[in-house]
Amino acid sequence: MKRSLCGFVVFLVVKWGPGHDTCSGLSASGRGRPDDLCQLTRHHNYKEMLELMHRVHRRCPDITRLYNLSGNPGTTVEGRKLAVIVISDNPDRHEIGKPEFKYVANMHGNEVIGREMLLQLMHYLCDEYHKGNKDIRKLISITRIHLMPSMNPDGWEKANKSWNMSSSEGRKNAQGIDLNRNFPNLNRIVYINEKKCSKNNHLLNYEVLKNSTFAPETKMVVHWIMDIPFVLSANIHEGALVVSYPYDETRSGKPKELTKCPDDATFRYISLAYADKHPVMQKPHPKCYYDGEWDFYKNKGITNGANWYSVKGGMQDFNYLSSNCFEVTLELSCYKFPPASHLIKYWNENRDALLNYMWMSHIGIKGQVKNENGKPIANAMIHVRNLTDGMDINHDITSARDGDYWRLLIPGRYNVTACAVPEYVCVSKVVTVENPVHSEAKKVSFTLPWMAKSANYRKI
């Protein structure tokens, strides 16, 4: 159920065979009944999932790209690939200033709604782009969207063979590993560092991945997260109806306890962006088995993960502590593997929320860090002090290879500092963030002087 990294990794771009159109009655052009909902009448196995992804690429070749995560061996234990589709107006490469976004589903093989929602979402984005939907075309033009329908395709196959709406069969991968307890545990490191006022970001030591306890799926996703400068992500699960945000693991080691991260306000803001658009999450509804004593709707459909229950080695906290990526967990239903006849209902409930959450890639500020010669500076540190409450946000992000950065922030007034020591002088700027709806993040770029030219800390 619950939950849920930059290095270099080679991705294999694939050209899957055209196969057959899974939905009968639709032409190769993709024209069919409104919103092309036919694929939501059934659950799709691995082969069918790839066929549907290829079909979207065939219909929208200019705005999509297909690739598989790579690694050693580059497949699951049973030989399946972790397939991804990119949707953007320039899908083949990262563009300076354009945020990278991802949705990951089916991390637990028996939790399948997210898998079908992402298959439908890619069709929907393709269709609406061609229909001229202004919001969708704008979102696609200013965002690079990565959709992974299944992180645990082996587990799905096992769950499908022993179908049960709430069974745990197939939750783990083919090795019997729970993938959402299998990521390097960086919480313990940051909790120690907090006491020493030490490093609060990018805590991954790649050597740890040599440990044989990490599943191939985990290793591939770790390299993926570390290679692409993702800004925002959501990990889709089932078993409850709530949006959960970091931290997932308690500081104290207790089974559950409110455990805020430095960006707690921002995480609550983006979590509400999803829950606010969901027609059920914030209204009274029957409790799920895994809710425990919580009535999540009373907290507007969101929860601090560790306050629900503590998770060690989860993907959500790993994203936040190893990279610049903010990730939440979307729990979409009490039922993990519902009948296919329920899928259209889940799509109708989640479509607007899925879209609205992607727009959260554009809150806060973004820009580029360069030196006085105009050369981009990678790995510059971006530190933020909230002038509204006078507190430092003790989680820094870094600029990507092209010097571009994105810093998710809620509306307010901030002092933003860019540093690349010891070569350059730090520069600070005071900015006001407003986050207008469906707009790009406010642009705040920095030019850092050479340290040799000035021994002073420069403020602008």
Side-chain angles (χ1 to χ4, degrees):
M1 185 200 42
K2 194 173 81 167
R3 291 82 66 200
S4 54
L5 283 170
C6 262
F8 293 86
V9 60
V10 176
F11 293 111
L12 175 63
V13 179
V14 293
K15 294 184 178 179
W16 296 318
H20 64 277
D21 283 334
T22 306
C23 303
S24 60
L26 286 176
S27 68
S29 67
R31 303 295 178 242
R33 67 187 199 173
D35 292 340
D36 193 17
L37 289 174
C38 59
Q39 66 257 25
L40 286 173
T41 61
R42 59 176 295 178
H43 292 285
H44 298 88
N45 63 27
Y46 178 71
K47 181 180 178 181
E48 293 166 341
M49 180 187 78
L50 298 186
E51 289 171 347
L52 283 173
M53 295 175 74
H54 176 86
R55 184 162 170 263
V56 173
H57 178 56
R58 186 173 68 243
R59 291 161 58 195
C60 292
D62 295 337
I63 61 167
T64 61
R65 171 178 175 247
L66 303 170
Y67 68 89
N68 296 321
L69 268 61
S70 65
N72 186 11
T75 66
T76 66
V77 172
E78 295 181 353
R80 297 182 178 93
K81 299 281 190 177
L82 300 188
V84 180
I85 188 167
V86 178
I87 303 176
S88 185
D89 65 350
N90 192 354
D92 293 330
R93 62 181 180 86
H94 173 72
E95 294 182 84
I96 296 174
K98 180 181 288 189
E100 306 270 354
F101 175 92
K102 61 181 168 74
Y103 274 132
V104 178
N106 199 213
M107 185 182 198
H108 291 145
N110 63 325
E111 299 171 18
V112 305
I113 297 173
R115 175 177 171 132
E116 299 301 329
M117 295 302 99
L118 294 192
L119 290 174
Q120 177 59 27
L121 179 61
M122 60 185 74
H123 277 265
Y124 179 82
L125 293 173
C126 172
D127 286 347
E128 293 300 307
Y129 185 87
H130 280 305
K131 290 176 183 177
N133 183 314
K134 291 183 179 179
D135 277 348
I136 297 300
R137 291 183 72 94
K138 181 176 182 179
L139 179 65
I140 289 173
S141 71
I142 64 174
T143 322
R144 193 163 180 245
I145 302 162
H146 304 246
L147 306 179
M148 179 190 288
S150 182
M151 184 179 162
N152 187 3
D154 294 355
W156 186 96
E157 298 294 334
K158 186 175 182 179
N160 188 54
K161 290 177 182 178
S162 57
W163 179 83
N164 184 295
M165 284 204 295
S166 299
S167 171
S168 62
E169 194 73 19
R171 172 186 174 92
K172 300 177 180 180
N173 76 346
Q175 295 170 296
I177 295 173
D178 186 329
L179 299 179
N180 206 33
R181 307 294 187 277
N182 192 234
F183 281 77
N185 186 353
L186 304 181
N187 294 73
R188 291 297 102 197
I189 298 174
V190 79
Y191 295 160
I192 292 171
N193 288 356
E194 285 175 348
K195 298 176 182 179
K196 301 185 297 183
C197 296
S198 186
K199 190 173 183 180
N200 59 31
N201 64 90
H202 293 77
L203 300 175
L204 178 66
N205 180 348
Y206 274 96
E207 291 297 310
V208 74
L209 295 178
K210 295 179 180 179
N211 192 315
S212 61
T213 61
F214 293 110
E217 296 93 338
T218 305
K219 291 182 179 180
M220 285 187 282
V221 170
V222 166
H223 285 293
W224 183 45
I225 293 170
M226 297 303 294
D227 186 70
I228 295 175
F230 289 113
V231 176
L232 184 62
S233 172
N235 179 13
I236 308 177
H237 291 252
E238 290 79 49
L241 189 59
V242 69
V243 181
S244 174
Y245 56 87
Y247 283 130
D248 254 352
E249 183 179 353
T250 60
R251 285 184 178 87
S252 64
K254 293 181 179 180
K256 57 183 176 180
E257 184 178 61
L258 178 63
T259 308
K260 296 182 179 181
C261 74
D263 285 285
D264 184 74
T266 299
F267 272 111
R268 286 188 282 110
Y269 184 91
I270 63 176
S271 297
L272 285 170
Y274 196 94
D276 285 348
K277 293 294 183 178
H278 194 285
V280 182
M281 279 186 176
Q282 297 182 344
K283 296 179 180 179
H285 57 268
K287 292 177 67 171
C288 302
Y289 174 80
Y290 295 99
D291 289 355
E293 76 272 25
W294 297 104
D295 289 311
F296 291 124
Y297 75 88
K298 293 181 179 179
N299 195 40
K300 299 184 178 181
I302 67 174
T303 186
N304 172 266
N307 203 32
W308 182 9
Y309 64 89
S310 186
V311 171
K312 296 180 181 180
M315 185 166 72
Q316 177 176 271
D317 287 2
F318 179 79
N319 270 269
Y320 182 61
L321 294 174
S322 69
S323 74
N324 295 325
C325 187
F326 286 36
E327 180 171 284
V328 303
T329 298
L330 308 177
E331 299 276 359
L332 301 188
S333 168
C334 294
Y335 302 111
K336 299 186 176 188
F337 205 138
S341 59
H342 294 189
L343 293 175
I344 290 180
K345 176 183 81 74
Y346 290 121
W347 171 248
N348 289 334
E349 289 177 352
N350 288 282
R351 184 194 69 183
D352 291 347
L354 288 166
L355 294 171
N356 198 48
Y357 185 75
M358 287 191 283
W359 279 105
M360 295 300 102
S361 305
H362 300 281
I363 67 169
I365 61 175
K366 68 176 182 178
Q368 194 172 16
V369 184
K370 298 180 179 181
N371 65 21
E372 292 177 304
N373 294 332
K375 181 180 178 180
I377 302 174
N379 297 313
M381 196 74 70
I382 308 296
H383 178 77
V384 177
R385 181 176 178 83
N386 188 336
L387 297 178
T388 305
D389 62 15
M391 301 295 290
D392 286 283
I393 302 176
N394 290 316
H395 179 83
D396 302 329
I397 58 98
T398 60
S399 59
R401 295 167 193 155
D402 297 311
D404 46 347
Y405 79 92
W406 305 260
R407 187 50 168 103
L408 304 182
L409 295 167
I410 65 172
R413 191 164 173 264
Y414 301 91
N415 188 79
V416 184
T417 302
C419 286
V421 295
E423 293 90 352
Y424 301 98
V425 178
C426 296
V427 173
S428 292
K429 295 184 178 183
V430 173
V431 301
T432 299
V433 173
E434 297 177 338
N435 292 342
V437 175
H438 293 189
S439 297
E440 294 189 63
K442 186 170 187 173
K443 293 184 178 180
V444 182
S445 293
F446 294 87
T447 299
L448 304 188
W450 293 99
M451 183 65 75
K453 291 185 178 182
S454 174
N456 299 318
Y457 178 81
R458 180 176 297 186
K459 294 186 178 181
I460 296 177

